[in-house]
Amino acid sequence: MIWAYPDNSLMITLIAIFVLLYGLYLYRFWKINQKITVKKRRLIWKMILRSLYFSLFLIALAGPSIGSAMKEIKQEGKDIFLAIDLSRSMNAEDINPSRLQRVKFELKNLVKNFSSDRLGIIIFSSEAFIQCPLTFDQNVIQLHLDGLNSGLVPNSGTDIAAPLKLAFSKFQSDESQEPKSKAIILISDGEDFGEGLEQTLNDLNADGIKVFSMGIGTANGSTIPRGSGVVIDQSTNRPAISKLTSDNLKKIATDTGGGYFELSSDQNDIPQLIDAISKLEGTVMASRTVEASSNKYFYFLLAALFLAIIDAILPVRTLSL
């Protein structure tokens, strides 16, 4: 027999408490016996009954395992690209301390929920680049997230289709020919000055790649810091205001069967995003068969409860008046 939870200190403590309380119980009857007659034989049976089901409770608590069984353990995983907008508008401060800094903080917590999945990072503005290829190494992902800043990409506008095209091509060129679950988490304030989005969405949808878009910012928006000042709109000669534009992000999510979420000072859909990604059916990456012990605690617990009920419903008479 194998014990699943062999906590000797806990067992000794429980036994000591039982002996102490039952000692007080017997002392009470001894005091009663000085005044009236107690049928000692019936008292002994009561002691045996309670000691028996208490012992069965302890055995059940220890988790007795009798025999063994073969169990197959499957390791499932997904391929996920984080496509992160690093255009200058992501430095806007309508989310404290800034859109990009908040994204970095939330993503570092998000990736910890997908330790069995391959993650990769794509950064983009008017062009898209692979910052980190798909990897299981969480430390590498965290390191790249720490280093994200708007200076890593050219800042001449935003093309939302660019990271989606790049992610699609990387999924297609994957050296492993095994079918895998694939997803893209697109993080942007939604501003888009590119073309070719419709065809890219058709390609993603045909290949079963879901896009989960995360809108960053607020409807009111804010100015965009630049050096000691702010970015100026050349057409009006006034400070440029960057606002969350969610229409394209919602369309991308809808057309690919993904979902749309938002992150702002008043709204945080990160938990819902994690839940949606987790519900995606992963591909079996590996499986192995192990010998597992069969825990039989239930039988001991059932027997203990049965005896305890008998003790409660049909108490043994100890006094004869």
Side-chain angles (χ1 to χ4, degrees):
M1 183 180 292
I2 301 174
W3 304 100
Y5 312 104
D7 192 338
N8 294 329
S9 60
L10 175 61
M11 297 302 170
I12 293 173
T13 301
L14 292 176
I15 292 172
I17 293 174
F18 176 78
V19 170
L20 176 62
L21 294 178
Y22 217 78
L24 293 174
Y25 175 78
L26 294 177
Y27 175 74
R28 173 176 173 268
F29 267 88
W30 177 76
K31 297 293 288 184
I32 293 174
N33 192 50
Q34 292 180 331
K35 299 180 179 180
I36 58 178
T37 302
V38 177
K39 292 189 176 181
K40 296 181 176 59
R41 187 180 65 179
R42 293 185 176 181
L43 178 59
I44 291 173
W45 280 111
K46 194 174 189 69
M47 289 175 56
I48 293 174
L49 179 64
R50 291 185 175 177
S51 298
L52 182 58
Y53 68 70
F54 176 77
S55 299
L56 290 172
F57 276 129
L58 287 183
I59 294 173
L61 181 63
S65 297
I66 305 172
S68 61
M70 302 306 293
K71 184 177 181 180
E72 183 181 15
I73 298 178
K74 296 181 179 180
Q75 180 182 352
E76 296 185 352
K78 300 177 282 288
D79 283 352
I80 305 171
F81 265 118
L82 305 174
I84 305 169
D85 187 352
L86 293 186
S87 58
R88 188 176 288 122
S89 60
M90 289 294 287
N91 292 323
E93 297 175 344
D94 50 350
I95 302 178
N96 291 325
S98 73
R99 293 176 183 175
L100 182 55
Q101 292 302 319
R102 180 67 180 277
V103 165
K104 290 166 61 173
F105 173 79
E106 296 293 349
L107 285 183
K108 292 184 69 176
N109 291 324
L110 179 144
V111 299
K112 295 176 183 177
N113 292 272
F114 303 104
S115 57
S116 63
D117 302 315
R118 286 203 308 172
L119 300 175
I121 298 177
I122 293 175
I123 56 176
F124 71 96
S125 58
S126 57
E127 300 178 58
F129 307 90
I130 293 289
Q131 179 74 355
C132 179
L134 291 168
T135 178
F136 287 108
D137 194 331
Q138 290 266 321
N139 291 328
V140 171
I141 294 293
Q142 296 283 357
L143 184 64
H144 282 289
L145 289 175
D146 278 332
L148 293 180
N149 64 82
S150 58
L152 295 175
V153 293
N155 276 284
S156 55
T158 305
D159 182 1
I160 285 184
L164 302 180
K165 292 177 184 177
L166 181 56
F168 178 73
S169 68
K170 291 301 178 181
F171 282 140
Q172 292 294 99
S173 62
D174 188 1
E175 295 179 358
S176 173
Q177 297 302 314
E178 298 178 1
K180 295 179 180 177
S181 298
K182 307 164 194 171
I184 302 170
I185 300 177
L186 176 64
I187 301 164
S188 174
D189 53 25
E191 294 181 351
D192 182 24
F193 303 97
E195 298 178 353
L197 179 59
E198 201 67 41
Q199 182 58 47
T200 302
L201 295 181
N202 291 336
D203 292 339
L204 292 171
N205 194 39
D207 206 45
I209 302 173
K210 298 181 183 296
V211 180
F212 297 85
S213 54
M214 171 69 72
I216 310 298
T218 62
N220 293 329
S222 75
T223 57
I224 305 170
R226 184 178 186 179
S228 58
V230 296
V231 174
I232 300 298
D233 186 342
Q234 299 299 324
S235 61
T236 62
N237 204 30
R238 293 182 178 181
I241 302 295
S242 174
K243 301 179 180 181
L244 171 61
T245 308
S246 61
D247 292 344
N248 273 337
L249 297 175
K250 292 178 179 178
K251 174 179 173 55
I252 291 169
T254 301
D255 289 358
T256 60
Y260 173 74
F261 307 89
E262 285 190 8
L263 178 63
S264 67
S265 298
D266 301 322
Q267 184 173 351
N268 186 349
D269 290 341
I270 291 293
Q272 291 88 329
L273 172 60
I274 293 173
D275 186 57
I277 298 292
S278 299
K279 288 180 179 178
L280 287 179
E281 184 177 354
T283 303
V284 177
M285 313 293 285
S287 65
R288 67 182 188 275
T289 303
V290 297
E291 184 176 356
S293 58
S294 182
N295 197 327
K296 303 295 186 182
Y297 80 94
F298 180 78
Y299 298 104
F300 295 91
L301 180 61
L302 188 63
L305 289 174
F306 178 73
L307 294 177
I309 291 173
I310 291 178
D311 183 34
I313 297 178
L314 302 173
V316 180
R317 290 178 58 195
T318 57
L319 299 179
S320 179
L321 300 178

